[in-house]
């Protein structure tokens, strides 16, 4: 740059250069949350992004354990479970029921405990909220229609099953998972049914659902249920059906079978079978258990 020309004039535009270059801004940029790098103290031990976690603030829920109800704080909710904060005496694999909103709760098992933080695993199968005999009838029809080639599994427990009453039949856990599609807010989202009854359902939905909206729950080409979203916490949504739903229509759907073994994401944890801990029957055992119903 010509300093004399700069002082007395006559400098061309091409000579116009700053004496000191401006500094490049550091730190966070406006409206850019990803502009600041955060250094990790250690590398990831496993892929933790499989289930999207919905962190919550000042969200309370109810927990039912051994007939006692407790008010707990929800930390986050993901597709497979929830983290809660509570001062409750629990042990690993204790069965609890988590109520996020009105209606039925979600069956859970305690997977880990650290101080006052408790990790809950949601039951895999879809709970049918009806009487044991009605549930047995629905399961019989579903197995006959969706799994006609399934073989029986004979065992000592199964031979005793036909002599059990409705209470014992209702205590056995089936391995079936029902899914569907929720049509809402000009979009369609695959959903998973946590439980279903004649009056409503609790679903897991990855897309936000507005409370008060009126979605359509499609379970098959022949079954579409008008409903109202009565509450939503994380990815769990409570639906209230506009009219009573006949659970026997589930025989016209094709449920999936829950995995027999739980896939442990962390080798440091216990690698026991989730099915054994839950007391869940295989599909063959369920058919054997319902053998008396199947022959009616």
């Amino acid at each position: 740059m010509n300093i004399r020309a700069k002082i007395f004039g006559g400098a061309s535009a091409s000579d116009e250069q700053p004496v000191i270059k401006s500094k490049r801004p550091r730190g966070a940029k406006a409206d850019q949350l990803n502009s600041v790098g955060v250094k990790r103290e250690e590398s990831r031990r496993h892929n933790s992004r499989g289930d999207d976690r919905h962190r919550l603030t000042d969200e309370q829920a109810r927990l039912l354990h051994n007939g006692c109800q407790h008010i707990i704080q929800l930390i986050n909710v993901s597709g497979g479970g929830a983290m809660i904060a509570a001062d409750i005496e629990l042990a690993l694999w204790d069965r609890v029921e988590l109520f996020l909103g009105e209606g039925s709760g979600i069956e859970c098992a305690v997977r880990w405990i650290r101080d006052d933080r408790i990790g809950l695993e949601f039951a895999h199968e879809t709970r049918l909220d009806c009487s044991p005999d009605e549930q047995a009838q629905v399961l019989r029809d579903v197995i006959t229609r969706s799994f006609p080639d399934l073989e029986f599994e004979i065992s000592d427990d199964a031979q005793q099953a036909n002599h059990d009453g409705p209470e014992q039949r209702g205590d056995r856990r089936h391995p079936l998972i029902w899914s569907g599609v929720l049509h809402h807010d000009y979009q369609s989202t695959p959903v998973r049914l946590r439980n279903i009854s004649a009056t409503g359902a609790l679903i897991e939905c990855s897309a936000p659902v507005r409370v008060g909206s009126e979605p359509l729950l499609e379970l098959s080409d022949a079954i579409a249920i008008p409903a109202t979203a009565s509450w939503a916490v994380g990815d769990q949504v409570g639906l209230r059906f506009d009219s009573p739903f006949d659970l026997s229509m589930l025989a016209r759907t094709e449920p999936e079978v829950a995995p027999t073994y739980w896939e442990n994401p962390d080798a440091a944890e216990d690698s026991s079978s989730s099915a054994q801990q839950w007391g869940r029957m295989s599909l063959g055992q369920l058919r054997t258990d319902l053998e008396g119903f199947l022959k009616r």
Side-chain angles (χ1 to χ4, degrees):
M1 180 180 68
N2 189 332
I3 300 295
R4 184 181 181 85
K6 183 72 174 176
I7 296 174
F8 295 101
S12 63
S14 60
D15 291 334
E16 292 291 336
Q17 296 181 6
V19 177
I20 301 177
K21 293 184 179 180
S22 60
K23 294 183 178 180
R24 298 181 61 184
R26 295 183 180 180
K29 299 179 180 130
D31 299 327
Q32 294 187 25
L33 297 179
N34 61 350
S35 61
V36 179
V38 179
K39 184 178 180 182
R40 291 186 177 274
E41 295 296 331
E42 60 180 36
S43 60
R44 294 182 184 273
R45 296 184 180 179
H46 62 275
N47 183 9
S48 59
R49 294 191 177 98
D51 287 334
D52 193 20
R53 286 176 169 78
H54 299 263
R55 294 200 169 271
L56 307 170
T57 303
D58 297 329
E59 188 76 41
Q60 290 186 336
R62 294 178 293 127
L63 192 75
L64 185 65
H65 176 240
N66 289 338
C68 297
Q69 198 166 144
H70 306 271
I71 302 299
I72 54 93
Q73 180 184 0
L74 279 173
I75 306 300
N76 64 47
V77 177
S78 67
M83 181 195 299
I84 66 173
D87 185 16
I88 307 175
E89 291 293 332
L90 294 174
L92 292 179
W93 284 109
D94 273 358
R95 303 283 182 82
V96 298
E97 192 164 2
L98 181 64
F99 292 86
L100 301 175
E102 63 184 35
S104 300
I106 306 176
E107 294 179 284
C108 309
V110 177
R111 286 297 291 121
W112 56 264
I113 302 173
R114 297 188 185 97
D115 300 325
D116 67 336
R117 299 297 172 92
I118 301 169
L120 302 178
E121 176 189 349
F122 294 160
H124 296 159
E125 65 275 10
T126 300
R127 186 170 73 180
L128 306 179
D129 284 334
C130 55
S131 70
D133 284 341
E134 288 175 324
Q135 175 177 298
Q137 181 71 43
V138 171
L139 295 175
R140 183 211 71 165
D141 295 341
V142 170
I143 291 176
T144 302
R145 184 162 183 160
S146 298
F147 308 95
D149 300 328
L150 183 69
E151 296 182 357
F152 288 93
E153 294 183 11
I154 304 300
S155 65
D156 294 338
D157 292 339
Q159 293 174 357
Q160 183 65 27
N162 293 329
H163 304 287
D164 292 338
E167 294 80 7
Q168 286 74 25
R169 187 186 302 124
D171 289 341
R172 290 184 173 83
R173 307 184 68 89
H174 68 81
L176 299 178
I177 301 173
W178 271 270
S179 301
V181 177
L182 192 72
H183 303 284
H184 63 110
D185 295 330
Y186 305 102
Q187 61 180 314
S188 299
T189 308
V191 298
R192 174 176 182 167
L193 272 67
R194 290 292 177 191
N195 60 54
I196 185 170
S197 68
T199 59
L202 195 163
I203 64 171
E204 173 191 321
C205 182
S206 59
V209 178
R210 293 184 299 108
V211 174
S213 62
E214 299 179 346
L216 188 70
L217 178 61
E218 181 182 340
L219 301 182
S220 71
D221 293 338
I223 302 175
I225 312 173
T228 300
S230 56
W231 59 266
V233 177
D235 57 2
Q236 309 296 311
V237 182
L239 299 179
R240 184 177 63 253
F241 297 155
D242 293 351
S243 58
F245 172 66
D246 185 0
L247 290 179
S248 65
M249 295 184 67
L250 291 176
R252 304 180 186 179
T253 64
E254 296 183 2
E256 299 178 357
V257 181
T260 303
Y261 294 99
W262 177 70
E263 296 182 2
N264 194 339
D266 194 338
E269 296 182 7
D270 180 20
S271 59
S272 59
S273 162
S274 177
Q276 292 174 357
Q277 299 284 9
W278 277 106
R280 184 187 304 122
M281 293 186 294
S282 68
L283 199 57
Q285 290 171 332
L286 177 61
R287 176 165 184 161
T288 303
D289 184 58
L290 297 172
E291 182 178 5
F293 252 88
L294 289 166
K295 290 184 178 180
R296 290 184 183 179

